[in-house]
Amino acid sequence: MLEKSLKWILLTLAVFAALLAGVLLIVRAVSPPAPSPAQEQHPVAAVTDMPVQAEATPVLSPSPPPSAAPMSEEDYLRAYIEGMPLEDKLGQLVMFGFSGVTEPGDEFVSMLERYHIGNIVLYGANVNRTAEDGGFWEAQQLTERLSRLNPTGIPFLISIDIEGGRVQRFKWPSAPVSANTIGKKNDSDLAYRQFYDVGVALRGIGINMNLAPVLDVSQDPMQTFLTTRIISSDAQIAADMGRSIIAGLNDAACLSTAKHFPGHGGTTEDTHATTPVITKSLDELERYELIPFRAGVEAGVDAVLVAHILYSQLDGEHIASMSERIITDLLRDELGFSGVVMSDDFRMGGLTTRYDVGDAAVRFLLAGGDLILCGPRSDLQQRIMTALTEAAENGTLSMDRINESVLRILQKKMKVTDWSPIPTEG
């Protein structure tokens, strides 16, 4: 019995030894050979002289790095903007007007081609109200001609101001009532329906931006040059009606514009002719003038148009449209507005009596503005584009500053046009 047990033990030891030898052979097969003395002295040569062979896959390996997250819409836009020519970028920063009902003149066409102007503003003089249909068909023909003249692949923002009342540009089948009438009725549904219908009509003729609503307030609107363009002397009514106007335009896929920030109602003077001075403190503005603008920002207004008025308690040196304290600190940082900041018209005396137009264009952008508005004055438009080009080339306007404004403008174009730089799947 003892002899039999001893045989089993010896057999087991023999099997174990055989298994151990096999394991040692496998380890040698997958292990690199020990370096020779020459290789130890010249490690680079050792690596390059070794024959190429497949590496053994380790049993435990680190997890592969996570794949890159998909690019966001903003990422795509930023990458697209980085590759844009400078003239295309600068052209996006302006919205110019021209004379003509059926087509722009040769001078404006030349301006489009030379500077790649990216946005167009229409005024009453561009609309034939005496036409049988009130001017709508001819305006559509005009916007189509403009689109064919576009020197870039990026569509225009084409704007007009339809406020109702005395500012309605076309002869409407059912005339939009004034802002003051809407305020007196204090009817949010009326405000929404009217501007939804306005937005749909504008989009139907190729206009994708309305320079409305007016969100200025005044204790006595009729003593201001805006008169019935002001919704109400009650800031809360103006805020409520403003929200509904913005909602109506946005639902019609037409951009909305709050004006004239931070409020034109505190003066009887007209910025078309002079530079008004308002001495109210920020606290006073917060309690009255800024209430409708805050509501407009919260309602998702697309653009805010800044006035050519000196608010001496906010910035004693520069008018609002040139003021970093008002555009960046107040409108962007305090009110939280992230959309397009546009200037009031650069033809107006509120600006031209205090600034060179070219210098003002650069200053507006440095203050945080995005879109320079200038009606049909080719001499001023030329000075604006010359100044922007020189400032970009000499570094006064950094490429980051330019790109941020272009980004905001292109985001709005994506909202109201079919254009997009984002590749489609498949």
Side-chain angles (χ1 to χ4, degrees):
M1 187 73 177
L2 179 61
E3 182 180 353
K4 190 174 183 178
S5 298
L6 184 58
K7 286 181 179 180
W8 277 109
I9 291 172
L10 291 173
L11 180 60
T12 300
L13 289 173
V15 171
F16 178 77
L19 289 173
L20 182 59
V23 170
L24 290 174
L25 287 173
I26 293 172
V27 170
R28 284 182 183 177
V30 300
S31 299
S36 67
Q39 289 173 333
E40 289 178 349
Q41 293 177 6
H42 302 285
V44 174
V47 172
T48 56
D49 291 344
M50 284 176 60
V52 177
Q53 58 180 335
E55 293 182 352
T57 303
V59 176
L60 297 176
S61 61
S63 301
S67 60
M71 288 178 68
S72 66
E73 177 182 291
E74 184 171 316
D75 291 334
Y76 272 111
L77 272 174
R78 288 188 182 277
Y80 178 83
I81 291 167
E82 286 290 337
M84 288 174 63
L86 178 61
E87 61 186 357
D88 286 6
K89 293 182 184 183
L90 297 182
Q92 293 299 312
L93 305 182
V94 297
M95 177 174 276
F96 286 169
F98 60 91
S99 298
V101 174
T102 58
E103 60 184 354
D106 292 342
E107 193 170 31
F108 189 73
V109 172
S110 177
M111 180 79 66
L112 285 175
E113 293 173 348
R114 180 177 181 184
Y115 292 109
H116 290 196
I117 304 307
N119 308 285
I120 308 292
V121 58
L122 302 179
Y123 293 88
N126 298 114
V127 178
N128 181 13
R129 284 174 50 90
T130 64
E132 185 176 349
D133 72 339
F136 289 95
W137 183 83
E138 286 182 274
Q140 181 177 358
Q141 300 305 301
L142 178 59
T143 61
E144 289 176 358
R145 290 189 181 96
L146 287 167
S147 295
R148 289 194 293 270
L149 292 170
N150 191 337
T152 75
I154 305 172
F156 293 129
L157 288 180
I158 301 180
S159 72
I160 198 167
D161 52 343
I162 310 295
E163 301 171 7
R166 63 187 174 96
V167 183
Q168 50 185 281
R169 306 309 183 189
F170 300 91
K171 185 177 180 182
W172 296 78
S174 178
V177 301
S178 70
N180 186 251
T181 299
I182 289 175
K184 285 179 177 178
K185 291 180 178 292
N186 195 16
D187 186 339
S188 295
D189 289 338
L190 169 62
Y192 175 89
R193 287 196 310 273
Q194 172 165 301
F195 282 88
Y196 176 81
D197 291 342
V198 165
V200 169
L202 293 180
R203 289 307 311 271
I205 59 173
I207 296 172
N208 49 31
M209 184 176 193
N210 190 12
L211 304 182
V214 171
L215 293 184
D216 308 285
V217 289
S218 173
Q219 297 294 346
D220 190 353
M222 296 307 143
Q223 293 303 309
T224 72
F225 93 94
L226 294 170
T227 62
T228 57
R229 296 170 64 191
I230 291 178
I231 294 172
S232 178
S233 60
D234 185 317
Q236 193 56 55
I237 291 176
D240 294 342
M241 297 304 103
R243 285 192 191 94
S244 296
I245 291 170
I246 292 165
L249 288 170
N250 285 349
D251 285 351
C254 184
L255 298 184
S256 54
T257 310
K259 58 187 186 184
H260 309 78
F261 185 82
H264 209 304
T267 178
T268 60
E269 295 182 301
D270 184 349
T271 46
H272 290 84
T274 188
T275 307
V277 179
I278 294 178
T279 59
K280 287 189 174 185
S281 67
L282 180 58
D283 286 344
E284 289 174 306
L285 292 172
E286 289 278 12
R287 291 196 295 269
Y288 189 55
E289 279 87 351
L290 293 182
I291 290 173
F293 287 102
R294 280 191 178 275
V297 171
E298 292 168 0
V301 72
D302 296 292
V304 172
L305 183 148
V306 185
H308 302 315
I309 298 177
L310 183 70
Y311 297 83
S312 58
Q313 296 299 306
L314 277 62
D315 187 333
E317 182 179 2
H318 295 298
I319 60 176
S321 55
M322 304 289 115
S323 173
E324 184 176 3
R325 294 178 186 175
I326 292 174
I327 293 176
T328 297
D329 297 346
L330 179 57
L331 178 55
R332 292 228 188 267
D333 296 342
E334 177 64 24
L335 271 65
F337 180 63
S338 59
V340 172
V341 174
M342 66 185 301
S343 73
D344 211 339
D345 201 318
F346 262 48
R347 298 176 298 166
M348 296 169 68
L351 182 145
T352 59
T353 57
R354 298 177 68 94
Y355 298 87
D356 171 80
V357 168
D359 291 342
V362 176
R363 183 173 293 279
F364 169 71
L365 293 173
L366 290 175
D370 303 307
L371 187 58
I372 298 165
L373 179 67
C374 186
R377 280 280 304 273
S378 59
D379 58 329
L380 300 185
Q381 294 170 358
Q382 176 69 53
R383 286 157 61 185
I384 289 168
M385 296 312 301
T386 299
L388 294 183
T389 302
E390 290 177 354
E393 290 177 346
N394 66 28
T396 302
L397 282 174
S398 71
M399 204 53 59
D400 285 346
R401 174 75 279 278
I402 292 168
N403 288 351
E404 283 300 315
S405 287
V406 174
L407 174 68
R408 296 185 187 110
I409 292 164
L410 295 190
Q411 285 174 327
K412 295 305 177 184
K413 292 189 175 189
M414 289 180 66
K415 178 179 177 180
V416 293
T417 72
D418 293 332
W419 176 83
S420 174
I422 301 174
T424 56
E425 294 184 2

